[in-house]
Amino acid sequence: MALQHVFELPAPGFNFENSTRNTILENALGEGRTKAPTPMKTGTTIAGVVFKDGVVLGADTRATSSEVVADKMCAKIHYIAPNIYCCGAGTAADTQKTTELLSSNLTIFSMNSGRNPRVVMAAYILQNMLFRYRGSIGANLILGGVDCTGSHLYKVGPYGDMDELPFLSMGSGNLAAMGVLEDGFKPKMELEEAKTLVRDAIHAGIMGDLGSGNNIDICVITRKGVDYIRPYKESEYKENRFHRCEKELGYLAFIKADNTPCSHQTMALLDVSGFSSVSGYGHQFGSGNSQNVARPNHYNFGAKCQEFAVPVGVDPSNFLKSCSCEDGITIDMNHGTTTLAFKFRHGVIVAVDSRASAGSYIASKEANKVIEINPYLLGTMSGSAADCQYWERLLAKECRLYKLRNKERISVSAASKLLCNMMLNYRGMGLSMGSMICGWDKKGPGLYYVDSDGTRIPGRMFSTGCGNSYAYGVVDSGYREDMSVEDAYELGRRGIAHATHRDAYSGGVVNLYHMREDGWIKVCKEDVSELIHQYKKGMF
């Protein structure tokens, strides 16, 4: 007997099968003169802070639709798991459905394993989900929770970029909120201090952004449990109105705002619909003998698995052109970084800055641009943070599977070849990545450069990012094969510090790693401003 449905596993990576269809439709409507719909302006301010015993999340409650206030009591803090909650900014439907998907997956995990999920697991699931749709899902999320490893706060963007920081803010009011957080944050704060800081940050966003407003909600997550305070602070501008309108003929009657029963007049609309009574506002009302009607699940749209019913990819070149038209939204793809790696007698030195930029805006000052693939492999990030994090994490999974199958760890050459093959499949499709893969195997220290065009080059010294020319100048002048370990550390620090001094898009701190025969170690994390003052005698 033949099966009616044959289930197939989805193909990995992006899917561009609809790009040809989209091109035909665009050309058919107005001979190519059609323009992509412009996004609707929304407004939100969300924030999160890690304190001594847990995490505090906060959000405003105003939901806007362009210049219209659609909802004054929108809940923007979503339940994920008993120990994890999430704040959402962007499109309300996207954030709600994304968090519901994540919550259902983690619930199944908890039922199978008998334990609460880790926060990093939830963050990785979110990142994989959003990266697949490359911005089609308008969800900017702050994920906070407490697990067996401590308190964690993650930011996940709509393109799949992810970062972990002790304090975060997102939304249209994030600039004002971030100013308050940077001014008032300190490590190991007490609970009341953290709640006050988050409240002040959200209030600053409300006062400085037209799209944010009304009340402030706060969620406190600790090992003892969750305290979801809604509202934590009510709006100072409230109106006490009765939602009551009675027509002379008794066709309509509304319920009061305080949930008291409505008028004794019978609603003709309820009589026609078969309902007999109204029990109160916010309750489902109807006659006792009503039956549920089976309706199709419009959420799946016939998909073979739970996913969003949108194309999982569009042609990147056409997408960027449509978003750069006169009436559309111009996407500024400028981003900056400086990464550096070189081999010497005692291993490989890897040094990177920590500034993550989105155009002229500094999105993060403490982004870790070194991805720890395994104890003997490291990868660096330059280009799009979402691309680098996703593909190098996928490389880490493949390296782990290789070790399980072959009972030995993968070589540096093979690992770089795997990443190169992944990039070749998506060459010219809009990826932005320049990475250095370094490690130690049977042949000794290894260093390879791999980018999104499928280029793979072995070498002794590489530097990537917009500050690489300055870093090359410093390292070329001081590099020696037989240098000591301390001299190599100083050369790596100096190369990144000088690059951040001359390149506006690089900055933050210097993260320095040393790949040795027994595995990598993290040497230091030093502020570039302090290093600049140390080196100023040689610079001026």
Side-chain angles (χ1 to χ4, degrees):
M1 181 177 178
L3 294 175
Q4 294 181 351
H5 303 282
V6 178
F7 294 95
E8 299 178 358
L9 293 176
F14 299 119
N15 184 355
F16 297 98
E17 61 184 10
N18 291 324
S19 60
T20 304
R21 180 207 64 181
N22 296 341
T23 304
I24 295 174
L25 289 175
E26 290 177 0
N27 293 333
L29 299 175
E31 298 179 355
R33 292 192 298 270
T34 57
K35 297 178 180 179
T38 57
M40 181 174 292
K41 176 69 172 67
T42 60
T44 290
T45 302
I46 57 176
V49 166
V50 176
F51 71 102
K52 183 176 67 173
D53 299 320
V55 176
V56 176
L57 301 176
D60 73 313
T61 62
R62 174 177 292 178
T64 57
S65 176
S66 189
E67 71 277 3
V68 178
V69 178
D71 188 358
K72 298 180 181 179
M73 286 296 295
C74 178
K76 301 179 182 179
I77 304 179
H78 308 280
Y79 170 86
I80 303 297
N83 60 321
I84 303 173
Y85 276 73
C86 181
C87 295
T91 305
D94 291 346
T95 57
Q96 290 172 0
K97 195 55 65 176
T98 300
T99 52
E100 286 177 8
L101 265 176
L102 176 63
S103 179
S104 63
N105 289 333
L106 295 183
T107 300
I108 295 173
F109 168 82
S110 299
M111 294 173 63
N112 291 332
S113 62
R115 59 185 177 90
N116 288 331
R118 292 178 56 184
V119 185
V120 67
M121 174 185 177
Y124 281 159
I125 294 175
L126 272 181
Q127 185 185 27
N128 289 341
M129 183 188 307
L130 295 176
F131 183 83
R132 184 181 178 212
Y133 295 97
R134 301 292 290 172
S136 298
I137 306 302
N140 299 267
L141 304 171
I142 293 179
L143 191 73
V146 178
D147 55 25
C148 58
T149 61
S151 305
H152 302 278
L153 191 67
Y154 289 91
K155 174 191 73 174
V156 183
Y159 284 85
D161 55 300
M162 184 181 72
D163 200 4
E164 182 180 9
L165 291 170
F167 60 91
L168 288 168
S169 71
M170 297 184 80
S172 55
N174 76 313
L175 295 180
M178 184 58 72
V180 174
L181 292 175
E182 289 185 337
D183 179 63
F185 177 80
K186 57 184 179 181
K188 297 183 180 180
M189 290 190 299
E190 297 295 333
L191 173 59
E192 291 303 321
E193 292 178 318
K195 290 165 67 174
T196 302
L197 180 60
V198 172
R199 182 202 64 190
D200 293 343
I202 301 299
H203 180 71
I206 290 174
M207 299 303 295
D209 174 50
L210 293 175
S212 304
N214 298 98
N215 300 339
I216 298 176
D217 294 342
I218 277 184
C219 181
V220 180
I221 310 170
T222 62
R223 292 187 182 275
K224 297 179 180 179
V226 176
D227 185 12
Y228 190 173
I229 308 172
R230 175 173 167 83
Y232 180 76
K233 179 183 178 182
E234 294 188 0
S235 173
E236 298 177 358
Y237 308 99
K238 295 190 300 181
E239 297 181 69
N240 296 321
R241 293 184 296 179
F242 290 97
H243 302 288
R244 179 171 179 174
C245 175
E246 299 181 0
K247 296 294 183 180
E248 294 181 358
L249 298 179
Y251 289 115
L252 294 175
F254 293 95
I255 304 166
K256 293 181 181 179
D258 58 356
N259 293 342
T260 57
C262 65
S263 171
H264 63 278
Q265 296 179 355
T266 304
M267 291 185 180
L269 180 61
L270 293 180
D271 289 338
V272 172
S273 303
F275 296 106
S276 60
S277 62
V278 181
S279 59
Y281 182 74
H283 297 276
Q284 189 170 0
F285 49 91
S287 57
N289 55 0
S290 62
Q291 297 180 355
N292 294 327
V293 180
R295 295 180 175 88
N297 187 352
H298 292 282
Y299 167 60
N300 286 332
F301 288 88
K304 298 174 182 176
C305 58
Q306 278 196 342
E307 60 182 10
F308 289 98
V310 298
V312 293
V314 295
D315 182 65
S317 59
N318 290 336
F319 170 73
L320 292 177
K321 290 178 182 177
S322 66
C323 292
S324 300
C325 60
E326 295 180 357
D327 297 330
I329 302 298
T330 301
I331 295 181
D332 189 359
M333 303 299 288
N334 292 335
H335 39 257
T337 191
T338 302
T339 65
L340 171 68
F342 59 86
K343 290 197 304 183
F344 72 117
R345 182 177 59 181
H346 300 288
V348 184
I349 297 296
V350 180
V352 298
D353 76 313
S354 66
R355 175 175 291 176
S357 55
S360 59
Y361 174 66
I362 299 176
S364 175
K365 295 187 292 185
E366 295 187 2
N368 189 5
K369 300 179 182 180
V370 177
I371 297 180
E372 300 160 358
I373 299 174
N374 63 39
Y376 296 90
L377 273 178
L378 291 174
T380 64
M381 293 168 40
S382 65
S384 170
D387 291 343
C388 295
Q389 290 173 343
Y390 178 84
W391 292 109
E392 292 192 23
R393 192 169 72 249
L394 187 62
L395 174 63
K397 183 186 75 172
E398 294 296 332
C399 293
R400 175 62 176 163
L401 291 175
Y402 179 93
K403 184 176 180 180
L404 293 174
R405 294 189 187 107
N406 299 281
K407 308 302 181 183
E408 63 178 3
R409 66 176 188 263
I410 193 171
S411 65
V412 184
S413 175
S416 63
K417 191 66 175 179
L418 276 175
L419 184 60
C420 176
N421 291 338
M422 295 176 191
M423 296 298 101
L424 283 172
N425 291 330
Y426 299 95
R427 183 175 181 177
M429 294 186 178
L431 296 182
S432 176
M433 190 188 80
S435 177
M436 294 176 290
I437 304 298
C438 61
W440 196 298
D441 54 23
K442 296 178 181 179
K443 297 180 180 179
L447 177 62
Y448 289 82
Y449 169 77
V450 180
D451 64 18
S452 52
D453 291 331
T455 305
R456 174 178 172 269
I457 306 173
R460 307 195 66 83
M461 180 196 310
F462 292 110
S463 180
T464 63
C466 57
N468 68 330
S469 57
Y470 310 108
Y472 269 130
V474 174
V475 177
D476 283 336
S477 63
Y479 175 77
R480 301 191 317 275
E481 171 67 23
D482 58 346
M483 69 174 66
S484 65
V485 173
E486 291 301 324
D487 290 341
Y489 291 169
E490 181 62 21
L491 183 61
R493 281 192 293 260
R494 185 181 290 271
I496 298 298
H498 282 260
T500 59
H501 181 68
R502 295 297 181 183
D503 177 45
Y505 288 94
S506 302
V509 300
V510 177
N511 288 311
L512 187 69
Y513 287 75
H514 182 194
M515 179 62 68
R516 306 184 301 186
E517 186 176 2
D518 56 347
W520 58 263
I521 60 170
K522 187 170 183 179
V523 179
C524 68
K525 179 181 179 181
E526 298 187 26
D527 193 302
V528 294
S529 300
E530 298 178 359
L531 292 175
I532 290 297
H533 288 295
Q534 295 178 14
Y535 301 146
K536 65 180 181 180
K537 293 182 180 180
M539 295 174 62
F540 302 105

